[in-house]
Amino acid sequence: MKKYYIIALVAMTAIVVLLIVGIQNKYNGYIQEMSKQIDKSLDIAMEEELGIRQKKIHFKDLEGPMFGIRLHLTTQDVVDSIMNLPQVKDGTYRVDIVDGRKERAEGVPELEITRMHNQDRYIRHNIYIDMPVLDSIFCYWLQTDIPHRFTLLDQDTIQLKSYGDASIKKGNYSEMKRVGLKEKQTLFLQASIPIKNFVKAEVLPLLLSFSLMLLALGCVLIQLTVIRRKEQALTHREAATGGIIHDLKGPVTTAISIMENLKDAEKDGDMKDIENHNAIMLRHVQHEIETLGNTIREERMHIIVNRKPTDIAFLAETVKQEVDMVYQAKRHTISIDNQLPQNLKPEVDADKVERILRNLVENAVKYADAGVEVQICLALQNNVPVVMVQDNGWGIAPQHIKKIFKPYYRIEQPVGRHRNGHGMGLTNSLHLVHAHNGKIWVQSELGKGSTFSFSLPQT
């Protein structure tokens, strides 16, 4: 029973591990999704903040006329472009060269290069990013309230400005954005993506998962407890029944011996027949006791097979006489077809083979209408002795054929066909055949009878 508790514990541990892994995967996905949303909001905020500064301050107010040249052109194109620049009134002009070749090689988009170039022109005049405006735009687009802080650093990583939650030391999100091309500055964003938002979104599935897990654990433990109690009860019942069977076997065996001695000593023919009949009935009771004992032990029993040369045809004749005697009130016919080679005596346990054969023949007579014909056929198949019991009785429906060898399984019969039985005979026969390393099988058709066969391989 302990192994079932261990299996349940392993199963519940596996469920908990899978649940934790699932939650971890969901949380990682949530962090990745929030990080993408923060990146997008930061890019938009930097672009819009720059646009607001451009509306407040014009480049021409800072530096006068200006013409831009991009260095991704060829050298000759650069010279031609400079020579063809228009003159301003006082004969001077300013050339603004945008060198973004390194950034392009790193895969930086062209629009971002342009934005960084525009940032350079403000940085030269100490007009830095407006942090409150940037933060306001960032929060608007993010649409989620998370602790964060912006820090503006120069090229020597010296802090120029800071805005936001000063308590953040190390968040689970950080991003550094270059602000300029020439006048290099860096905008550093630290944010703490709180788990509470994730819990709010997943609280119901989590609660349901844990509730179902606890419910499953409770059901498993209750079921195991019930099984354990039933197993203990069955063990006690088995021990008690085994004791009763042991107590019954002695007197019955003694009674059979007495009846056999009386029969041998009796001179009167009628009394001898009566004593013979009583001896057969006692052997029938002994057979039922043995069947009961073997069945209640089921797979736990260890059957010892005492093999010795046996005349199976003689066993069949003995069974025929005993069944005829027991069912003499019911009209029936039992015949024997012995196809075994003459003088062949397979090595089997005679007592156990007789019990198998008696059970099959008795079932054939019992589960049939009056006038049933039963044939016991003994033959060799592939050099293996096989015993077949064929009848023209009620037959067995296909849905029952695979179940009839199970302990206590009984086929419900129509009204008028009910027969007493405990569903143990075929189970006992199965165990006895397996003890001989043989096989037992059945072919049947409802309303046309059945043929039960079993093999007796020789060691």
Side-chain angles (χ1 to χ4, degrees), residues 122-185:
Y122 285 108
I123 292 171
R124 283 196 295 267
H125 296 278
N126 296 322
I127 302 174
Y128 302 142
I129 293 175
D130 190 336
M131 304 292 269
V133 172
L134 179 70
D135 183 75
S136 177
I137 298 172
F138 174 76
C139 292
Y140 171 79
W141 283 103
L142 187 59
Q143 296 183 344
T144 302
D145 184 19
I146 62 173
H148 63 279
R149 181 176 63 184
F150 288 102
T151 304
L152 186 63
L153 307 172
D154 65 9
Q155 60 184 357
D156 297 322
T157 66
I158 297 175
Q159 180 175 313
L160 300 174
K161 285 184 176 183
S162 179
Y163 189 86
D165 191 345
S167 64
I168 295 180
K169 300 299 181 183
K170 185 178 180 181
N172 50 8
Y173 172 90
S174 62
E175 180 67 21
M176 302 187 76
K177 289 282 188 180
R178 283 181 57 182
V179 176
L181 288 174
K182 295 179 182 178
E183 309 293 337
K184 294 182 180 179
Q185 290 185 353

Side-chain angles (χ1 to χ4, degrees), residues 278-399:
N278 290 337
I280 291 174
M281 295 301 295
L282 284 172
R283 281 197 295 271
H284 180 72
V285 172
Q286 186 185 42
H287 166 69
E288 293 294 331
I289 291 173
E290 290 290 342
T291 298
L292 176 62
N294 290 337
T295 304
I296 63 168
R297 290 191 294 272
E298 297 179 356
E299 282 76 13
R300 297 182 187 180
M301 65 183 181
H302 179 66
I303 300 175
I304 299 175
V305 177
N306 297 315
R307 292 179 179 269
K308 59 182 179 180
T310 302
D311 186 351
I312 299 181
F314 176 76
L315 294 182
E317 183 62 35
T318 301
V319 169
K320 174 184 179 304
Q321 293 178 4
E322 292 183 359
V323 174
D324 283 340
M325 182 69 70
V326 174
Y327 289 90
Q328 59 183 334
K330 181 175 183 178
R331 184 165 52 87
H332 66 276
T333 302
I334 301 176
S335 60
I336 299 174
D337 179 14
N338 184 10
Q339 301 177 15
L340 293 174
Q342 191 174 10
N343 299 325
L344 175 65
K345 293 184 177 182
E347 291 190 357
V348 297
D349 189 318
D351 180 62
K352 292 176 177 57
V353 172
E354 182 180 346
R355 274 191 270 163
I356 299 169
L357 190 54
R358 182 186 296 111
N359 180 71
L360 296 180
V361 174
E362 186 174 353
N363 283 350
V365 176
K366 183 191 298 185
Y367 298 106
D369 296 325
V372 62
E373 296 179 357
V374 180
Q375 184 181 58
I376 303 173
C377 181
L378 312 176
L380 280 179
Q381 294 183 2
N382 298 322
N383 294 322
V384 175
V386 175
V387 180
M388 292 168 282
V389 178
Q390 183 177 5
D391 66 74
N392 59 351
W394 297 339
I396 304 170
Q399 66 268 25

Side-chain angles (χ1 to χ4, degrees), residues 71-130:
L71 291 185
H72 67 277
L73 303 174
T74 63
T75 304
Q76 187 60 44
D77 289 337
V78 171
V79 174
D80 293 341
S81 298
I82 294 175
M83 294 302 296
N84 293 326
L85 286 173
Q87 300 292 318
V88 296
K89 291 180 180 181
D90 59 359
T92 62
Y93 53 84
R94 176 179 175 82
V95 178
D96 190 17
I97 299 176
V98 182
D99 186 0
R101 289 174 294 180
K102 179 181 178 182
E103 285 70 22
R104 289 188 190 90
E106 294 174 353
V108 179
E110 191 70 31
L111 289 176
E112 189 169 349
I113 293 174
T114 301
R115 175 170 58 80
M116 288 191 290
H117 168 64
N118 291 333
Q119 292 280 14
D120 279 338
R121 300 162 79 177
Y122 285 108
I123 292 171
R124 283 196 295 267
H125 296 278
N126 296 322
I127 302 174
Y128 302 142
I129 293 175
D130 190 336

Side-chain angles (χ1 to χ4, degrees), residues 395-458:
I396 304 170
Q399 66 268 25
H400 298 298
I401 288 180
K402 291 184 178 180
K403 302 177 182 179
I404 57 176
F405 292 101
K406 292 183 178 180
Y408 311 109
Y409 185 81
R410 297 182 62 199
I411 301 174
E412 293 296 330
Q413 301 291 350
V415 178
R417 283 187 170 183
H418 178 73
R419 298 290 186 271
N420 292 328
H422 305 287
M424 297 184 294
L426 289 178
T427 302
N428 184 57
S429 298
L430 175 70
H431 291 315
L432 296 177
V433 170
H434 285 175
H436 282 82
N437 299 319
K439 296 181 180 180
I440 185 169
W441 65 96
V442 59
Q443 295 174 314
S444 183
E445 186 175 350
L446 194 63
K448 294 186 178 181
S450 306
T451 300
F452 282 83
S453 309
F454 64 93
S455 61
L456 297 170
Q458 301 301 289

